[in-house]
Amino acid sequence: MEIGYKPYVDPAVESIIERIHPPRVCIDNDTCRDCTLVKVDSANKHGILLEMVQVLTDLDLLISKSYICSDGGWLMDVFHVKDRLGCKITDEKLIRYIQQVRMLSISENKMGSREDREGPGPCIGRDVRPWHVLTNHTALEMTTTDRPGLMSEISAVLAETGCHISAAVVWTHNARAACILYVDDPSQLPRLLSQLENVLDAHHCSGGSRSVMRLSEAGPGQTHTERRLHQLLAGDSDYEQCCSAPERGNGDDDGRCYRKRSCTSETYIKIENCEERGYSIVTIRSGDRPKLLFDTICALTDMHYVVFHASISSHDSKSFQEYYIRHKDGWTLNSEIERHRLTQCLIAATERRISHGLRLDVCTQNRLGLLSDITRVFRENGLSITMAEIGTRGDRAEGTFYLKDVSGQTVKPETLESLRKEIIGGTVLVVHKSPGRLSQTTSSSGEKPGFSLGGLLWAQVEKFSNNYFRPIKY
């Protein structure tokens, strides 16, 4: 007879507990020599772990280790964090912000208001959220079959009707694409939906290819953009090709331990049950990268699993994650089908953000139809977008694109030269040989190539003006 473990907590009592014992955050810069400890204790509720990790990752902090304990009605979590340069957090304004209780109280209304989300952004010199995440704009969400030129066709339809795109994020995985576009004037979108549907369906075969499109209203209830991209691709079943059939683990006689390997990455998943404690133990070994913990917790939370204990660490570009979980209804993973699906979804979560292809950063003056022009340049040069993040800062437009040629191969040097020739004025292109490594800066203004750790490009952008993409003739 299988037993489900589900402590009952009256919702009214749970609300009172949260108000009496709000989250407390302690910043410890003394215990560890090379990282800052962020210690959190709070009344426990479903989803609060994801909210904490989301806040830290939105602040561009790297989580190298984490110890999570949230059994019962209380949680005590410790995060080992560094900034993007691998240093401790020493900015007093940032430390004070992290310590603010309301930072971790966004669960009261999911995303919170724009003021809550951005919080004291100006006082720490930047927005809290990623620059491409907007909460005060209507979001147009799409999932469809990935193909070369897709973003060019979508943005061209919007540009032709005068619809301005303030930000856009695109992920591709397993031949599927998910896109979220933020628009300033949503009044035109309803009549554009049929045109966009025609674009999405134009290359579909009759064999069951599918596209989904919906509008998400601006407001406090809007889901975090990157979490929403995970949800869109998972809802599109992009995880189905992420691993082979289960293999029984060595030395396991009851058939409850399985190992699976991703088809496209070195990701290993092991799932077993701890009968005496009533947990399922999920072990994940994969390559390390920024926001990996956020992506994993997204998958577990959206599949309605509760993390009671966890240990996360990274070393030499490898990540080890171990979770003690139960389903939200109190049950462990007792069927092979359920384990197989969880394994697929976790591997997909680790893969979606892995950038493939050449990274190209673009910065220029913002204007109507800019995204359409940029993506048309890529399409005309035989390039396909594998991932993109585009946003605006005042009158400037900034974008990061990951590109491959239409055959999936690396972008050739002559193609980069062709891209450079398409740009006039002071538009800046920064080419990276690999994610996070700057290799070449190209600017039509004649500036010498420069090297940077990330912020140098945008610090130099203000030197330029009148940055426009040359109109492209058909």
Side-chain angles (χ1 to χ4, degrees):
M1 175 178 173
E2 296 178 342
I3 301 174
Y5 300 82
K6 184 180 180 182
Y8 173 77
V9 179
D10 188 288
V13 175
E14 186 178 35
S15 177
I16 293 174
I17 292 175
E18 289 178 8
R19 294 179 183 277
I20 296 176
H21 302 289
R24 292 182 297 176
V25 181
C26 173
I27 306 297
D28 179 358
N29 261 327
D30 299 323
T31 301
C32 292
R33 179 177 56 85
D34 59 347
C35 67
T36 299
L37 301 187
V38 179
K39 303 176 182 179
V40 183
D41 63 272
S42 169
N44 191 20
K45 67 179 297 182
H46 183 62
I48 192 170
L49 174 60
L50 175 58
E51 292 170 0
M52 290 188 293
V53 174
Q54 175 183 305
V55 168
L56 295 175
T57 54
D58 281 357
L59 286 167
D60 254 359
L61 300 177
L62 304 176
I63 302 174
S64 58
K65 289 184 181 180
S66 181
Y67 302 98
I68 296 164
C69 180
S70 58
D71 217 342
W74 199 259
L75 65 85
M76 293 180 288
D77 300 340
V78 179
F79 301 94
H80 294 233
V81 301
K82 302 177 183 180
D83 64 19
R84 281 285 181 176
L85 298 179
C87 303
K88 288 185 176 184
I89 305 172
T90 57
D91 186 334
E92 290 297 330
K93 294 179 179 178
L94 181 56
I95 289 175
R96 286 197 300 271
Y97 176 71
I98 296 174
Q99 290 174 322
Q100 290 179 0
V101 172
R102 71 188 181 94
M103 171 186 174
L104 295 178
S105 300
I106 55 177
S107 58
E108 292 292 330
N109 57 1
K110 295 185 179 179
M111 286 290 292
S113 65
R114 178 179 173 83
E115 180 181 357
D116 290 336
R117 286 289 298 136
E118 295 187 356
C123 82
I124 63 174
R126 57 179 172 177
D127 286 343
V128 173
R129 55 177 170 74
W131 56 270
H132 62 269
V133 174
L134 303 179
T135 58
N136 61 334
H137 288 64
T138 296
L140 175 60
E141 303 174 349
M142 289 173 279
T143 56
T144 187
T145 303
D146 186 30
R147 67 175 187 274
L150 176 64
M151 274 303 299
S152 176
E153 296 173 15
I154 292 173
S155 55
V157 171
L158 296 174
E160 288 171 1
T161 55
C163 189
H164 182 64
I165 301 173
S166 297
V169 191
V170 181
W171 287 2
T172 62
H173 183 242
N174 281 349
R176 304 298 298 174
C179 173
I180 299 180
L181 304 174
Y182 292 99
V183 296
D184 290 337
D185 182 12
S187 61
Q188 304 180 59
L189 285 178
R191 66 184 181 86
L192 290 176
L193 292 182
S194 61
Q195 298 181 46
L196 291 172
E197 287 174 356
N198 291 335
V199 170
L200 297 182
D201 294 335
H203 296 269
H204 284 179
C205 303
S206 58
S209 295
R210 57 201 181 281
S211 296
V212 178
M213 186 163 41
R214 66 183 291 270
L215 295 177
S216 176
E217 293 298 327
Q222 195 175 92
T223 304
H224 187 277
T225 300
E226 294 173 349
R227 181 182 181 185
R228 186 62 187 145
L229 286 166
H230 278 297
Q231 293 174 345
L232 290 173
L233 285 169
D236 202 37
S237 301
D238 73 317
Y239 56 82
E240 290 181 348
Q241 303 176 35
C242 282
C243 64
S244 59
E247 299 177 4
R248 182 175 296 185
N250 293 332
D252 183 35
D253 296 327
D254 63 2
R256 292 182 178 274
C257 175
Y258 295 85
R259 292 178 175 87
K260 298 186 179 73
R261 181 179 182 275
S262 165
C263 297
T264 59
S265 66
E266 296 296 323
T267 301
Y268 297 86
I269 309 290
K270 176 182 176 181
I271 301 176
E272 54 189 337
N273 281 351
C274 179
E275 298 287 355
E276 63 273 16
R277 296 296 183 88
Y279 297 119
S280 291
I281 305 173
V282 179
T283 304
I284 307 172
R285 298 179 186 271
S286 67
D288 191 29
R289 59 169 175 77
K291 299 191 177 183
L292 177 62
L293 179 58
F294 171 81
D295 296 336
T296 305
I297 299 294
C298 269
L300 292 171
T301 303
D302 288 334
M303 295 183 73
H304 304 293
Y305 291 107
V306 179
V307 176
F308 290 89
H309 302 278
S311 175
I312 292 93
S313 62
S314 59
H315 181 69
D316 292 337
S317 299
K318 298 294 183 181
S319 171
F320 173 84
Q321 303 175 68
E322 185 177 66
Y323 297 93
Y324 289 72
I325 67 171
R326 298 179 194 139
H327 197 272
K328 192 177 180 180
D329 62 10
W331 297 98
T332 56
L333 285 77
N334 293 309
S335 72
E336 180 180 322
I337 295 176
E338 188 177 12
R339 289 197 191 115
H340 184 62
R341 182 169 179 268
L342 176 59
T343 299
Q344 288 179 314
C345 290
L346 286 173
I347 290 177
T350 66
E351 289 181 344
R352 290 179 189 126
R353 202 192 292 267
I354 297 176
S355 50
H356 300 285
L358 177 137
R359 173 177 169 179
L360 182 67
D361 290 340
V362 179
C363 186
T364 187
Q365 186 164 332
N366 188 28
R367 61 180 174 83
L368 180 65
L370 178 62
L371 180 60
S372 175
D373 288 345
I374 294 174
T375 53
R376 192 188 309 123
V377 170
F378 295 157
R379 185 188 65 192
E380 292 178 348
N381 283 275
L383 300 180
S384 179
I385 298 172
T386 61
M387 179 182 287
E389 297 176 352
I390 307 100
T392 56
R393 299 177 190 263
D395 64 346
R396 312 295 301 181
E398 304 172 9
T400 298
F401 300 88
Y402 290 88
L403 306 169
K404 286 187 175 181
D405 67 20
V406 292
S407 61
Q409 303 301 313
T410 304
V411 179
K412 297 178 181 179
E414 53 267 31
T415 304
L416 289 177
E417 179 64 18
S418 178
L419 288 178
R420 187 191 68 81
K421 292 179 180 179
E422 293 286 350
I423 302 173
I424 63 173
T427 299
V428 178
L429 291 181
V430 177
V431 180
H432 300 249
K433 289 181 179 178
S434 61
R437 296 187 60 187
L438 183 66
S439 63
Q440 178 184 355
T441 302
T442 305
S443 171
S444 58
S445 62
E447 292 291 323
K448 296 181 180 180
F451 293 85
S452 169
L453 291 173
L456 179 60
L457 167 64
W458 311 129
Q460 293 178 343
V461 162
E462 296 303 324
K463 298 178 182 179
F464 305 109
S465 61
N466 300 322
N467 301 338
Y468 294 96
F469 274 84
R470 183 175 68 221
I472 300 174
K473 297 180 180 180
Y474 290 98

